[in-house]
Amino acid sequence: MTDHHPDEKKEAVEYEEHKHVEHEDEISPELELMLHTDPGHGLTSTEVEQRRERYGFNELPEKKTNPFLKFFTYFTGPISYLIEISCVIAAVVGDWIDFGIILALLIINAVIGYIEEAKAESALDALRQTLALKTRCWRDNELKEVDVKDLVPGDVIVLRIGDIVPADARLLGLGVNGEESEAELMIDQSGLTGESLLVAKKKGSTVYSSSIIKQGQQLAIVTKTATDTFIGRAANLIAITAEEGHFQKIIGKIGNVLITSTVVLVLIVFIYQMVNFRGTPKGNWKIVLENCLVLTVAAIPVGLPTVMSVTMAVGAKQLAAKQVIVKRLTAVEELASVSVLCSDKTGTLTLNELTFDKPWLTNGYDEDDILLYSFLAAEPGANDPIESAVRRAAETQLDILKDRQNAREIPGYKVTKFSPFNPTTKMTQATIMDLTTNQPFSVAKGAPQVITQLVGGDDDAVRAVNSLARRGLRALGVAKTVPGSTDKFELVGMISLLDPPRPDSHTTIAECNALGVDVKMITGDQMIIAKEVAARLGLGRVILDANHLVDPNKSEEEVTEHCVRADGFAQVIPEHKYRVVELLQNKGLLVGMTGDGVNDAPALKKADVGIAVEGCTDAARSAADIVLLAPGLSTITDGIITSRAIFQRLRSYALYRITSTIHFLLFMFIITLVEDWTMPANDAATLVISIDNTEISEKPDKWRIGQLLTLSFVLASLLAALSFAHFYVARDVFHVTDNELHSIMYLHISSAPHFVIFSTRVPGYWYTNMPNWLFTVCIIGTQIVALFFSVYGIFGEEEGVAPCGYPWGLAVLGVSLVYFMFLDVVKVQIFRCWSFEMTAKVVPTRARKNKLASRKEIMARHIETQAAWKKLSIPVEANAIAAAFTNYAQKAN
């Protein structure tokens, strides 16, 4: 205990006030006029009806999608339209085998999409579950129980411990019977704002719908209902978020290029043949259309959506084994491309439970002492997070409490009197009998201001509490009576409480950074708490408050730049989380969002990949694309690595499919015009790419459509050159028959592009990462089948096919195998030469020029910083070496 001289009292250290920053809702003057209801009487039935006509029922609107209409949306899109046109053409010319195959693929694609896609309205359904069902309010001078949906602005409601707040409301500072009440309500609004501590609210404060009353009771007047409430606005954000996914956009771009090429070339062939063969049997529109159908069906990527879906479904199964459940199939691909991961703090990066942190101690007491006395002064069975934290810490760390037979007894001590916490004294107090000495003593635990006053003041304690408060830690004072006295207390110390980071969070963030994923913390908690947790997690200290996101004095570009550079955001509401994700997406970044609460649901829905963590609310789970079953974020890194392997398989197939399509189009277009020759194609075995081995990227993956199409065109042109060589050598050098030529070209067009998939599956040389055995067997197996078809002319002379014999068959396969190795070298060289600088010079758009200039500026700054650091480090190192020699010399003497 510290005594103070009377003259020093003026200079005594004071407790610092840390104002709780909270989002304040604006109330329009018109609505304010309706909030003057007499608390003792309430609204009349007539007033309630009038207001309901104006504001509607206090419920979230329900929008149901017709399942049949939803299913038919999966038959739309560029690739689907072209497949449907091919289907119609096949029916018109009577090619029922092609018609059946194309129609089956179309339906399979739609069914896979329909089953895998999460229902948009499920997140809203889950939000409705968080709302209260009944409440008590004053109406017509009576206290009535009414359905929550019947509440209107101006209703006077009763809020008591354990109640779910039924609508946004303003506290009136009155007890249930209208008496004045200065007591604060303790509110748990962590599900809404993400704040880890209970929030104290008094007269004039706003309480939000679906938050929970943990302590106290008061009357409140309803200010907002339905979609105007805090939670209602979150529901609105979920409802308006229905954007096309990143993967669909990529498939659309690839599809558009292939489709445009196909339509243009097929139209040229159709017009040329109709004009050239006019008046002859070959000029019959049905025969010309049939020739065009062969070209169209062979060129369009009919199998593209199916192979992609199967590959992602296999990936989803692999992720499920790692306790990562995929709800939306395309999220598997999108997770590989995520470069920014926005993470909620409370319950995601932290445990969402108050925990005993390092205490401040005085008067010779140690950590076990303060834990024991805190436990003795803790209210048994109290449903309070602070009391629970104290009891949990003591029972975990103190030996005398670990192996108790009776949980109600404390070995060596007996509680003879207990005064529970009340809002007036702001402390709990207990009188204890020490059974070893038979001496009674008292302990007190409570607000630091009250406890320091109880012990007669202690400036060191005030400084310690201020220091803890600046770091966002909640402090509680603990005092004990001095021996031989029943009313003179001395200070034991200050316990500090914090919602701590999960044990794996620090490692997970480091692993994500190593994978090229920038992690940003987004929390509704106070700035000081956010900075403390960020420091413990190894995140940077650049934490911005919500005002930065809605600053009217800054341009959208400035705000976006701040978002990109920030390490985290504090004091945010659901709209702010949504805006952070939106701004980062506008910058062209693929954004992942993790969360567990109602307040995270809009941002989870908006993000490219929404990830709900273990123990999340139904609203978060419904809005998310991926659900983690294991606690914490550690499984996210497993998810990213697995998804990158899947991405490589998808890109490998896309590169192969585009290459083979352009190859077939180029060859068939020219050969049809020049030689009037047609040929079917093959695309069966590529489904097995879904289980192939791959190289995993160390950075977020990107499709790089320009690179993909350029490489495809180069490889396709070289393949087309090989096709022309086969055609003319076989026909003009070896003088094979027309039907033998069909067999030879069938085998060549089947094998040459198929073997290229061994090259396209990895960015480096094909032999640096050997293919999976099943993948190899399937690809080789299909070519052996094709070999038999050609060698023996299975389809027969009536179908225009004659046996070509083993010498031709083996020669064609051998050339295809050798040629893919040549194409592999071309591919590697293109990848090595390709850079953003090159694309900016070849296709110099304004955006690319600006991006290139920005990159060069950052690189120059980095080099300058490195040089300055090197200059500084030389004398520092020299000084350290000199100091080490000095220490060594001193020890030697």
Side-chain angles (χ1 to χ4, degrees), residues 187-198 212 214 344-356 384-386 388-389 392 497-505 523 525 529 533 595-600 613-617 631-632:
I187 311 276
D188 177 2
Q189 53 186 41
S190 59
L192 284 176
T193 63
E195 291 173 278
S196 51
L197 302 172
L198 296 182
I212 303 164
K214 289 291 187 179
D344 170 52
K345 176 186 75 72
T346 310
T348 304
L349 293 172
T350 66
L351 293 169
N352 195 19
E353 59 178 36
L354 280 182
T355 305
F356 191 83
D384 178 86
I386 292 173
S388 300
R392 191 167 51 246
L497 299 163
L498 179 77
D499 175 19
R502 288 182 182 274
D504 61 349
S505 290
T523 178
D525 230 329
I529 296 175
V533 173
D596 67 333
V598 171
N599 58 320
D600 303 313
V613 299
E614 187 263 347
C616 62
T617 60

Side-chain angles (χ1 to χ4, degrees), residues 173-181 217 219:
L174 300 172
V176 178
N177 298 313
E179 69 280 7
E180 289 284 333
S181 174
Q217 63 174 32
L219 290 181

